[in-house]
Amino acid sequence: MPRMRIVVAMSGGVDSSVAAALLHDEGHDVIGVSMQLYDQSEGQASFGSCCSIDDLHDARRVAAAIDIPHYIVNFERQFDEQVVSNFVREYAAGRTPLPCARCNSDLKFATLADRARGFGADAVATGHYARVDHDSAAGRYLLKRGVDPVKDQSYFLFSLTQEQLAVARFPVGDRPKDAVRDYARARRLPVADKPDSQEICFIPDHDYRSFVEKQLPGGAGDGVFVDEQGRVLGTHDGIHRFTVGQRKGLGLASPSRTPMYVLALRPAAQQVVVGPRTSLEQTRLTASGVNWIAVEPAGPVRAHVQIRHRHQPAAATVRSLGDARAEVVFDAPQIAITPGQAVVFYEGDVVIGGGWID
């Protein structure tokens, strides 16, 4: 690769730190950029372990260690509009949001790509475990899984456009996590043994229910549990407290002693529909907001489809419905297809496209 000027999104974690170090060691002109995503002046540094004020300090220490310039940019307004507000709206609408996908591609990558031009940069790099390739015959960029199947993050990046993929660099996507840690130690990066973040960064104490309640105008609405026949089984404190497939925390006693699961959420009536696990099995879904990274198919295509980050991809037939919508029909029933989550279509390691489950 010829020498380039590359902006690296530095979160303060080991993956983005190694991404910056790798590119610098390859001889590129690297600029580190960290995002301040929420107001940290009132004790909010306790929000999770991602993008906190400590992470910004860690990113700056890494930049100093590898001798690259480092800048902090304020994206509080964009983060609130595109990620936090969406998170609250989705829960209020009876859907289960995926804020990390909204943040990684819709906010971080798209916004950094714009900022990179201001730095005169040729590309944008992150610490995601994914890969970009170019199909010269089709004249399109391809998004591929990272080589480490446990750490692969291509699922969260399905919405990247051709223009964004053209400037995307994922330096750690071609190596396993252990090798990334080893490189960080060999390079004496101060975050070499820093734990990975696991939680949603803007939710203190993992209590998303209380967070949503505080953000909802007028608070959350009470409602009822109903079975599949519409019979009322009990009351609840708001549909935002539940997600499709949930079993624990319902506080319901089944007359037949059969464990009860959340089957659906009906926000207009504030109803939580519950039933046996077998009723969670579905073979079909529709998705909106679909982004076709490969060419939009003219007819049905076979794919392996992922409906959650840790979901084992399942064989299915995918058909474009036009207007950025798609239908997926699985060969075998899938458990807990959840509105609001991402559905991503794969052909081998290549992401064909993806969207949001209706």
Side-chain angles (χ1 to χ4, degrees), residues 137-153:
R140 293 183 73 83
Y141 289 91
L142 304 177
L143 175 65
K144 303 173 73 173
R145 290 188 184 277
V147 298
D148 188 332
V150 176
K151 299 301 294 183
D152 170 52
Q153 293 171 304

Side-chain angles (χ1 to χ4, degrees), residues 102-151:
R102 299 283 185 186
C103 185
N104 282 321
S105 55
D106 295 358
L107 172 63
K108 288 184 179 178
F109 204 94
T111 310
L112 271 183
D114 289 338
R115 287 295 177 100
R117 286 190 283 271
F119 284 109
D122 307 291
V124 174
T126 70
H128 287 103
Y129 286 83
R131 294 174 291 162
V132 176
D133 204 351
H134 186 258
D135 182 346
S136 55
R140 293 183 73 83
Y141 289 91
L142 304 177
L143 175 65
K144 303 173 73 173
R145 290 188 184 277
V147 298
D148 188 332
V150 176
K151 299 301 294 183

